[in-house]
Amino acid sequence: MAVEQSPESYLAAYPAIASALPGADLPWLQQLRQDGLKTFEAHGFPNLRDEEWRYTNLAVLNKTQFTPTDNQEIDTDWLDAYRLENAWSVVLVNGRFSSTLSRLTGLPGEVSVQSMRAALDGNSTDLQARLGHAVTNDEHSLVAFNSAWFADGVVIEVAANYRMAKPLQILHVVTYANALAATRNVVVINESAEAEIIENYIGSAASYFSAAVNECFLEANAGLTLYKAQIEADKACHFGGTYVKQARDSRLMHHNFAFGAILARTDIRSDLHVASECSVNGLYLGANRQHIDNHTRINHLMPRGISREFYKGVLDNRARGVFQGRVIVAEDAQQTDSEMSNRNLLLSADAEVDTKPQLEIYADDVKCSHGVTVGQLEEKSVFYLQSRGVDEASARNILTFAFANEMVDKVENAELKALLFKQLLARFPAISL
Amino acid sequence: MLSIKNLHVSINDKPILKGLTLDINPGEVHAIMGPNGAGKSTLSHVLSGKAGYTVTEGSVTYQGKDLLELAPEIRAREGVFLAFQYPVEIPGVSNIYLLKAALNAMRKHHGLPEVDAMDFLTIVKSKVKLLQMDEKFLYRAVNEGFSGGEKKRNEILQAAVLEPKLCILDETDSGLDIDALRIVAEGVNSLRAAERSFLMITHYQRLLDYVIPDVVHVLAEGRIVKSGGPELALELEEKGYSWLEGQAA
């Protein structure tokens, strides 16, 4: 089925919004935006002919004209249900930084958190060296689209040797119907510094498009734990790309929870320098007609890197999950140690998962493994629970819950863990604990 | 308590049980012994409601009800407990969760409120002590990474918490060393009660030194070919099963 990918409506609307975008007076940013616009003009949204997108049809983005908005209306009680108490927080409403909702009081001087707009309005020399450097517009046309359209975002920098006492939560919230929330976020963790950042994607509008690009820089020996909890509204479209540059001895721990949206795509890419470590975990839950795509790419560029990847998926009804995990071990990346695993549980005959682990190894002294499973619940386990008095439907829920909860269990932040746990229980209601 | 009459069971059209008849009264302990392939495990599976077995003839009455008509979970809630020969590992589900879910399912079935959290812990911990288990077992995933002996003890722990009326032990003694066997047997003996019956399926006479049965049956070629007192087990130990084959009960 050929679907016309016509970006015309977005391109036609662009001139009207361009002048209001931040950084209009910065030639280097204008170049990045123009370049992004050109790429998007040439390719439209990625389509099925693109190998990296062969399982994910973005035609829906052309069917609805998603539009940027300044609207900041929000139900704060609803928002607060997702807010972590023991964290600093940044709130982006419809893709725009909200200083009234963000809670940054008492942030130590070693940690700088500002809106992308403010960062671009100030002395942006440092930002120029970062923005567009962890990922370029060539990555794919959604990144290019983001470069042209992003209206705000957050810029975070942690000073060398500083360890953040509390995590920073970034709440990406969409409240306005058919809004386009395009943000670009830059995170810099300086040498030997450590930080924990939690991204939540939520929405109260019925339909919208949330498109966020994160560029993360881990300097030598830095550590970043990054959680992503995508719990978008049922009919939302979501794109979130996180692109990481890991300097030597740095450590990235990423957890990706993809629960919401009708169409969701997450990209995680990390480039590993000497002896750096990267661990990426993921859990995608799809039901009804959800389509959830997860794309990871780990580039071992230099020797002695370690990567661990563990993704699980649970697909019910007519949902479709995609896992494409690429590990590339460059010629110089000797003694790389890499493991990748993707396990899927299909709960219905109509559910589908496309899983594609890819190992590309150009070095000769490496230890790499990958494994994939797609299966159903084990009947002997269902019977075991039944034989203990649990009815069949609850038995299936308990087992599914247990399968998924293994990933939630890996979350070290207790507040976030509780929030995710609640989400899981709502999906697989079993007898309460 | 349990009355099995002329039970015929097939798996994929292959007859396994061929006219098994057995009556167990409240409080009695019956042992079923027999050679491999006699149909011992089939009997335990059919009684607990496992799928894949076709009853072609006969009946099973449990406390006046047609047991074969009941879903596996209803049988469990009505007091039928199967200690599995090969207990299933359930990653991600803790022992304590399963025990509580099982106990509450049973209580709900009998119109009782959910068990109080503190009372529950007290009950469970006393049973854990009885089976000489570490309390840490409660918080580990069901049977995951347990040794053979730990798995079997865990089955008896579940029985101790759920307090069934009919307890079917499917080769609970197989694969246990003498120390583990003693602990499991002590657990079983502690569960013996006037209103609780046991059906112990075993391949080895040794178990019956520790749990003294009221009746011993020999199951061969899908039928009970001989029944007697505990002394029958000793006779079997001495002579093997071959002298009984071809005999009818």
Side-chain angles (χ1 to χ4, degrees):
Chain A
M1 185 180 68
V3 174
E4 187 68 22
Q5 302 281 328
S6 73
E8 276 76 20
S9 57
Y10 288 91
L11 291 165
Y14 191 74
I17 62 148
S19 58
L21 294 175
D25 57 337
L26 298 170
W28 63 268
L29 184 60
Q30 283 315 300
Q31 197 179 333
L32 182 81
R33 287 195 188 275
Q34 283 305 316
D35 179 61
L37 196 63
K38 263 189 215 137
T39 302
F40 182 68
E41 196 168 10
H43 300 285
F45 290 112
N47 63 53
L48 304 177
R49 286 187 297 275
D50 184 338
E51 182 59 25
E52 308 281 282
W53 291 84
R54 58 181 294 194
Y55 303 112
T56 297
N57 189 341
L58 300 180
V60 62
L61 295 178
N62 287 318
K63 284 185 197 144
T64 312
Q65 172 83 37
F66 296 107
T67 316
T69 174
D70 292 334
N71 186 292
Q72 293 283 291
E73 280 172 43
I74 188 167
D75 173 350
T76 53
D77 288 342
W78 167 77
L79 172 68
D80 287 344
Y82 294 92
R83 217 193 262 271
L84 307 181
E85 281 304 312
N86 187 33
W88 286 290
S89 59
V90 164
V91 182
L92 296 153
V93 180
N94 299 320
R96 297 286 294 271
F97 184 95
S98 165
S99 53
T100 48
L101 294 171
S102 298
R103 291 179 184 165
L104 296 167
T105 319
L107 199 68
E110 289 85 349
V111 184
S112 151
V113 177
Q114 55 183 334
S115 73
M116 179 57 84
R117 275 180 186 261
L120 290 169
D121 281 347
N123 180 352
S124 63
T125 323
D126 289 347
L127 196 53
Q128 185 182 353
R130 304 291 189 182
L131 215 162
H133 288 264
V135 66
T136 64
N137 292 329
D138 300 334
E139 182 72 15
H140 54 63
S141 56
L142 259 183
V143 170
F145 175 81
N146 180 280
S147 293
W149 263 266
F150 78 81
D152 209 343
V154 55
V155 179
I156 299 158
E157 182 160 1
V158 182
N161 302 312
Y162 188 75
R163 182 185 187 179
M164 282 176 71
K166 284 199 291 191
L168 174 71
Q169 184 182 22
I170 306 171
L171 288 139
H172 292 263
V173 187
V174 182
T175 61
Y176 193 73
N178 295 326
L180 165 66
T183 58
R184 178 69 64 107
N185 310 291
V186 172
V187 176
V188 180
I189 313 296
N190 282 301
E191 189 176 312
S192 298
E194 287 175 42
E196 179 181 330
I197 296 174
I198 296 156
E199 291 183 282
N200 293 75
Y201 291 87
I202 53 173
S204 60
S207 165
Y208 58 87
F209 179 29
S210 174
V213 169
N214 299 327
E215 297 190 72
C216 302
F217 300 85
L218 274 62
E219 298 304 338
N221 202 39
L224 172 65
T225 300
L226 183 60
Y227 295 100
K228 172 179 177 178
Q230 185 271 95
I231 315 174
E232 303 274 24
D234 293 350
K235 290 188 175 138
C237 295
H238 171 92
F239 168 68
T242 293
Y243 307 91
V244 189
K245 290 276 182 204
Q246 286 193 247
R248 63 178 306 144
D249 302 313
S250 64
R251 301 164 304 280
L252 170 71
M253 170 70 83
H254 190 271
H255 298 264
N256 168 21
F257 295 94
F259 295 174
I262 188 71
L263 175 64
R265 159 89 170 212
T266 293
D267 279 7
I268 310 290
R269 199 199 71 209
S270 194
D271 299 335
L272 279 76
H273 210 281
V274 179
S276 49
E277 281 185 47
C278 138
S279 178
V280 293
N281 297 311
L283 172 66
Y284 44 101
L285 304 180
N288 304 318
R289 288 178 171 272
Q290 279 183 282
H291 182 110
I292 304 180
D293 184 347
N294 305 280
H295 202 98
T296 67
R297 194 156 91 231
I298 295 166
N299 285 319
H300 285 277
L301 301 171
M302 301 294 271
R304 294 193 303 282
I306 300 173
S307 64
R308 294 286 178 267
E309 180 160 10
F310 191 23
Y311 263 72
K312 274 187 161 187
V314 180
L315 288 316
D316 199 357
N317 314 116
R318 303 179 67 85
R320 191 171 178 193
V322 179
F323 172 79
Q324 286 202 76
R326 272 175 85 186
V327 173
I328 303 159
V329 182
E331 206 176 332
D332 289 337
Q334 298 294 357
Q335 291 164 287
T336 288
D337 176 354
S338 169
E339 288 174 17
M340 174 173 21
S341 152
N342 174 226
R343 295 179 59 199
N344 296 281
L345 191 55
L346 300 183
L347 300 178
S348 111
D350 295 322
E352 183 180 333
V353 65
D354 295 286
T355 170
K356 194 172 155 197
Q358 290 167 279
L359 278 176
E360 293 167 38
I361 303 173
Y362 303 100
D364 50 24
D365 176 19
V366 301
K367 197 167 82 179
C368 293
S369 70
H370 68 85
V372 162
T373 62
V374 178
Q376 282 120 35
L377 291 175
E378 289 203 56
E379 291 308 315
K380 65 175 182 182
S381 307
V382 176
F383 175 68
Y384 189 76
L385 294 179
Q386 281 183 277
S387 79
R388 297 301 179 249
V390 178
D391 66 89
E392 188 181 339
S394 297
R396 291 185 186 279
N397 276 340
I398 288 172
L399 294 169
T400 308
F401 181 92
F403 177 86
N405 192 41
E406 189 189 356
M407 302 315 296
V408 173
D409 228 21
K410 290 181 192 288
V411 171
E412 285 182 18
N413 184 301
E415 274 188 274
L416 178 66
K417 189 191 255 184
L419 195 148
L420 293 165
F421 193 84
K422 237 169 72 181
Q423 289 282 326
L424 267 195
L425 258 191
R427 286 243 183 177
F428 308 109
I431 301 150
S432 62
L433 284 162
Chain B
M1 169 78 64
L2 182 74
S3 177
I4 305 173
K5 295 221 183 317
N6 190 33
L7 188 65
H8 288 69
V9 175
S10 299
I11 306 173
N12 297 328
D13 293 332
K14 188 180 175 237
I16 308 291
L17 296 182
K18 305 166 191 170
L20 187 143
T21 295
L22 178 67
D23 282 284
I24 301 178
N25 295 316
E28 286 180 354
V29 176
H30 288 233
I32 291 194
M33 302 187 71
N36 286 323
K40 300 193 300 290
S41 283
T42 297
L43 177 62
S44 71
H45 291 160
V46 168
L47 293 178
S48 56
K50 193 174 180 184
Y53 299 86
T54 311
V55 176
T56 54
E57 207 182 325
S59 67
V60 180
T61 310
Y62 167 74
Q63 294 199 311
K65 293 189 181 98
D66 180 356
L67 186 71
L68 303 175
E69 285 295 305
L70 304 178
E73 61 269 25
I74 305 298
R75 298 182 197 195
R77 294 172 196 170
E78 290 279 342
V80 177
F81 182 90
L82 170 66
F84 281 57
Q85 181 180 6
Y86 304 110
V88 180
E89 296 190 8
I90 308 191
V93 177
S94 70
N95 254 328
I96 190 119
Y97 177 90
L98 173 60
L99 287 169
K100 199 170 177 188
L103 188 62
N104 280 334
M106 187 174 284
R107 290 177 65 91
K108 195 176 168 195
H109 181 72
H110 293 288
L112 296 167
E114 288 202 351
V115 65
D116 172 82
M118 290 309 292
D119 293 349
F120 173 71
L121 264 185
T122 311
I123 297 167
V124 170
K125 285 185 175 174
S126 71
K127 308 294 183 187
V128 162
K129 210 168 163 189
L130 180 76
L131 286 150
Q132 301 179 35
M133 290 168 80
D134 192 319
E135 275 182 24
K136 283 183 195 141
F137 271 86
L138 291 174
Y139 302 97
R140 284 174 58 183
V142 177
N143 295 322
E144 195 183 34
F146 286 24
S147 70
E150 286 165 349
K151 285 181 182 172
K152 297 296 177 75
R153 257 193 272 178
N154 202 31
E155 295 291 285
I156 305 304
L157 170 70
Q158 293 174 12
V161 172
L162 297 175
E163 302 186 317
K165 297 191 179 79
L166 174 64
C167 195
I168 304 162
L169 308 176
D170 188 0
E171 301 207 17
T172 298
D173 55 322
S174 295
L176 296 186
D177 64 31
I178 196 78
D179 295 327
L181 177 67
R182 272 201 193 107
I183 294 167
V184 166
E186 276 172 33
V188 171
N189 284 328
S190 74
L191 288 176
R192 292 180 75 157
E195 293 303 314
R196 183 172 297 135
S197 308
F198 288 83
L199 182 60
M200 292 194 301
I201 292 166
T202 180
H203 192 66
Y204 305 103
Q205 181 273 331
R206 192 181 60 169
L207 171 68
L208 309 185
D209 291 342
Y210 295 94
V211 182
I212 314 290
D214 298 302
V215 189
V216 175
H217 307 277
V218 180
L219 177 62
E221 294 167 352
R223 282 191 291 175
I224 302 289
V225 294
K226 195 171 178 63
S227 300
E231 70 286 349
L232 178 58
L234 296 169
E235 202 177 342
L236 291 167
E237 178 79 352
E238 213 173 289
K239 298 186 186 169
Y241 294 108
S242 53
W243 62 284
L244 289 166
E245 278 164 23
Q247 287 193 26

